[in-house]
Amino acid sequence: MFIVPLALTIYAFIDCLNTTEEDTKHLPKIAWVFIILLFWIVGPVVWLVAGKNRHHRSGGAEPASWQRRGRQQWVAPDDNPDFLKSLKDDKDAEAEEERGRRDGGTAPDDKTPPAS
């Protein structure tokens, strides 16, 4: 009988700490922490029921823009168009530098002055 309420309190406490301030409902996050710790059995239950915005996925679809609140989270770097563009820019810069070396030009890290 002692382990179940203790486990529930620990779970709710960790869940509250990992929740962002904008996802907490009704009270500030610090108030929820005190409620969970002071009201040992009731506090965690109230937190789990009414303290946090729960995001439910409907059929695996992406959340609507109003749910994301302007945030975009990428799953992997190859899904991020900005990252892919930076890779292409880096590759183009390296190719241009290599062409300059082949054509007799100097590379940025060369210490020799260009021939006149």
Side-chain angles (χ1 to χ4, degrees), residues 41-64:
I41 295 173
V42 177
V45 171
V46 172
W47 164 255
L48 293 173
V49 172
K52 179 179 179 180
N53 286 329
R54 306 285 176 189
H55 301 288
H56 298 286
R57 292 246 167 157
S58 58
E62 187 175 331

Side-chain angles (χ1 to χ4, degrees), residues 5-53:
L6 180 64
L8 180 66
T9 302
I10 291 171
Y11 174 79
F13 180 69
I14 292 172
D15 186 41
C16 182
L17 291 179
N18 288 332
T19 302
T20 62
E21 188 72 39
E22 57 199 27
D23 283 340
T24 58
K25 294 191 318 187
H26 306 295
L27 294 171
K29 186 174 171 179
I30 190 73
W32 281 112
V33 169
F34 284 123
I35 289 172
I36 291 169
L37 294 178
L38 292 177
F39 302 104
W40 201 55
I41 295 173
V42 177
V45 171
V46 172
W47 164 255
L48 293 173
V49 172
K52 179 179 179 180
N53 286 329

